[in-house]
Every structure is written in C-alpha cells, then in structure tokens.
Amino acid sequence: VAVFDCAVWRPIGVHQGGTLGSIGALLHQQDGSGSLFGWFSNPASEVSAHFWIGYRGEVEQYVDTSVVAWHAMHLNDTYVGVETEGYPGEPLTDAQVAGFGRVMAEGARRHGWPLVLADRDGQPGLGYHRMQGGVNTACPSDLRLSRRPDILAAAQGAPPAWPSPERLGQMGITRPGGGYWLTDEDGGVYAYDGAPFHGSLPSMSAIPIGRVIGGAPSPTGDGYWLVTDCARVYAFGDAAYLGPHPDWLARWGIGTDTNPVVGIVGRGDGTYVLAALGDGLNPDRYAMEADGRYAAEP
Ligand SMILES: [Zn+2]
C-alpha cells in the first residue's frame, strides 16, 4: 500500500481502480472548504482524488498512490490528483504550499516524480487539471496556479517525511560514498543526504511477500537490496539479484514464522548474506549465503 507519511490516511474504498504508475501530480482547487473525505466516500459523487490539502497545510490521503483515482478523466492513468481547499478567488495559503511541497517531495522519493513544472499531458512533474491536452475546465484558477513554483521550491527544501515507527524497517542503509536510505515494511525507500533513489516496491506498484525488515547497499552505492522476514530479496539499481533459491529455503525452513530472516549484509563483492533467527538452528543466529553456493554457516 502506497500511503504517504506526510498524510493522514483516510481510505474511501470507492471511486478508484486500476494500477497507477504515476509520472507526477495534478493541482486541483476544491471550490469549497472542509475535508473531502465525506464527499468522496459518497457513492453519488463518482469522483475522488488521492490527496486533499487544507488551509492549514494538513494533508489527507484517500486513495493509494499506486491505484487510479477519478479526478481528471484521461489524465487519471498518469497522474496523482491533489485537491486544495478553498475557492478560485483565494490564493493557496503558505501552509498549503508547504503541505503540497511535502507531497511532491515524498512523490519524488517514492515514485521518482521530477520536481519540475508539467504544462501538458504526458510531461512528468507538477501539472494541473486544465493543462494543455488535459481537461476543459476552469480548475484551477490562475491565482492558484501561480504558486506552483513555490510548491516545487518547498519540495526541494522540505524536511524529509520520516516513516512512522511502526512501519519503519531497519533504521537505515548507509551508502558507500555518502548519504543513506531508510526503508519501511512496505518496501518504501527514503533517500537522504544525496543518496540516489533507485526505486522501491511502491514505485513499481509491488507488494512485498512478508514485511521488509532490512536492506543493504551495493558495493558502488548505486543500488540496494531489500529483504523481507519471509526471505524475499528485491534488488534495485546496480545491486544484483542472487537468490536465495526457494528449494534451499524450504530445506532449511528459512523465512517461516519460526525462522524469520532478520537482516541482510552486503559482502563488498556484489554478493550478500541473509541472517535468520531460528528454532533448531545452532546457534540461534544463523547466517546463510545467497551468492549461488547456498552454503550455511553458523
Ligand atoms: Zn480539478
């Protein structure tokens, strides 16, 4: 589930469907005030958006960003929809600009959105409902549209949204050459201090088998592995996928409730080792190699 850490998750359960591989976000104006949760939940409305940003900068999320919402007709298959509280004659508040900036910053990390203006259908970045090739509508007003550069500036300077503690996996992956990544149990990856984003499970609309509990960098720092307690490894960037083989897991009972994987360590030569806890494993911490040899070592 691609739920943003900068938002309050209020799933509506209707008016959505299909997989969304988004290239950016669209600015909308609400033409009203107050949370849109009730209206979008109403079967009669037949509309939705992924996010709503209130006057005070509060962000609500109604639809998973890897799922299509109903906010801009043919643009629904390409962009995430962001509603902003207020009326056409009102400018976005500074708090709304900051809130939108947090959404864009998190979208850049999770989905790879570039922090640039999009002015016609198909361009990645921050677009708007009535942009060229978009929808024939008055949404949004020129007054609201004028703050888009400020939203991008806020996104560039936005303090990173931290994964909530209950969803945070291994605290971090230190990157050789500088920077680091944080992961969450859905396979979200958060890049900091210059570490490059090389993708995540939510950015591929993928759901991990098990909970992501750790990760390790590739030797170059231009990629990383994520691992789940069920012993599934996901490789990104120049990190190579090397197993483990399911037969081997079954033989040792690794990745089960009693023998969960608890970590992954890169060995510096492009291979990696998984560590599992276990009943019947001696000693109780067990390391296994996943470089093709599948040797077990205590
Ligand atoms: Zn609109």
Side-chain angles (χ1 to χ4, degrees), residues 26-30 71-72 82-83 128-130 137-140:
L26 294 188
L27 167 65
H28 293 274
Q29 73 197 6
Q30 179 178 357
H71 59 98
V82 184
E83 284 286 354
Y128 53 103
H129 198 172
R130 61 180 170 87
T137 168
C139 171

Side-chain angles (χ1 to χ4, degrees), residues 19-201:
T19 300
L20 174 59
S22 60
I23 60 172
L26 294 188
L27 167 65
H28 293 274
Q29 73 197 6
Q30 179 178 357
D31 221 344
S33 62
S35 170
L36 281 165
F37 175 73
W39 174 238
F40 289 161
S41 303
N42 181 342
S45 75
E46 298 193 328
V47 292
S48 64
H50 296 87
F51 297 99
W52 172 84
I53 303 175
Y55 288 131
R56 291 176 293 109
E58 66 273 41
V59 180
E60 295 187 350
Q61 183 173 353
Y62 308 124
V63 177
D64 185 319
T65 54
S66 61
V67 173
V68 168
W70 300 358
H71 59 98
M73 296 172 75
H74 58 285
L75 306 180
N76 291 345
D77 294 331
T78 328
Y79 298 94
V80 157
V82 184
E83 284 286 354
T84 53
E85 182 174 27
Y87 296 86
E90 294 173 341
L92 294 175
T93 67
D94 289 343
Q96 277 178 309
V97 168
F100 209 141
R102 287 191 292 275
V103 170
M104 291 304 296
E106 196 162 340
R109 281 194 293 275
R110 285 177 175 269
H111 299 299
W113 300 344
L115 296 177
V116 298
L117 298 176
D119 290 308
R120 60 178 160 75
D121 182 18
Q123 282 183 341
L126 174 55
Y128 53 103
H129 198 172
R130 61 180 170 87
M131 67 185 179
Q132 198 184 336
V135 178
N136 185 14
T137 168
C139 171
S141 66
D142 287 344
L143 190 58
R144 302 210 138 210
L145 205 51
S146 68
R147 297 301 304 270
R148 276 195 308 157
D150 300 326
I151 292 168
L152 293 180
Q156 305 278 5
W162 288 72
S164 54
E166 65 272 21
R167 294 177 57 239
L168 188 64
Q170 178 170 293
M171 266 308 291
I173 306 171
T174 302
R175 176 178 178 261
Y180 61 98
W181 301 278
L182 298 183
T183 64
D184 68 29
E185 66 178 37
D186 298 327
V189 174
Y190 308 81
Y192 298 92
D193 289 356
F197 177 77
H198 285 296
S200 65
L201 293 178

